[in-house]
Amino acid sequence: MRRKKMHQTHQHQHLLPCLHCHPHSYIRMVQHLIERCLLLNMSREQCIKALAEHANIRPLVTLTVWRELQKENKDFFHAYFRSTSSRPFPNRFSQRVSRLDRRKQWN
C-alpha cells in the first residue's frame, strides 16, 4: 500500500528517464553515461563525481551500475584499470612549466 501511494504522488513530466517512473530506461542512461566516462579514461571516483555534479545522478546508483558493468565485463575492466593506472597523469604545474619552456624557445 505504501509503495502504491508513493508512486501515485510521483507523477510528473521528465525530460530524461526517471528512476521511479522508468527504472529500466534510467539504468540504461546511467550505463551510457558511465561508458562515456570510460571513453574519457575517468576513474570510478571521477565518474561518480561527474555524474552527480553534471547529471544529478545519485552516487549509489552510479556505483551500483558500475559494479554490474564490471561483473559483466571483467576482462575489459581489468585491461582498462591496467591501462589507466600505468599511464602517467601530468599535473597542471608540469603543463605550465612546459608552456613556459616553449615560450622561452621562441623569444
Side-chain angles (χ1 to χ4, degrees):
M1 175 85 176
R2 185 175 180 197
R3 184 176 173 96
K4 185 177 180 183
K5 196 175 195 180
M6 185 179 105
H7 185 67
Q8 288 175 348
T9 61
H10 188 81
Q11 295 177 0
H12 51 277
Q13 298 292 326
H14 301 285
L15 295 175
L16 297 174
C18 171
L19 179 60
H20 302 287
C21 301
H22 304 284
H24 182 72
S25 298
Y26 187 81
I27 299 299
R28 295 285 295 156
M29 178 190 70
V30 174
Q31 179 180 343
H32 174 73
L33 292 171
I34 290 172
E35 290 168 356
R36 292 188 66 163
C37 290
L38 293 172
L39 290 172
L40 296 171
N41 294 319
M42 296 172 77
S43 69
R44 183 176 71 182
E45 290 73 25
Q46 290 170 325
C47 180
I48 290 169
K49 184 178 178 182
L51 295 188
E53 289 177 5
H54 302 290
N56 202 27
I57 296 173
R58 292 187 205 139
L60 183 58
V61 173
T62 304
L63 181 60
T64 303
V65 175
W66 182 286
R67 286 179 177 161
E68 287 301 311
L69 286 171
Q70 197 170 350
K71 273 192 234 175
E72 295 172 8
N73 303 286
K74 289 180 183 180
D75 293 337
F76 168 80
F77 276 93
H78 181 71
Y80 179 78
F81 291 136
R82 193 174 19 166
S83 71
T84 56
S85 66
S86 65
R87 189 173 28 110
F89 292 101
N91 62 26
R92 290 182 178 163
F93 178 73
S94 66
Q95 289 174 346
R96 286 184 186 145
V97 169
S98 65
R99 280 190 221 136
L100 288 173
D101 288 341
R102 278 184 261 156
R103 287 181 188 157
K104 288 178 185 175
Q105 289 174 354
W106 294 105
N107 290 335

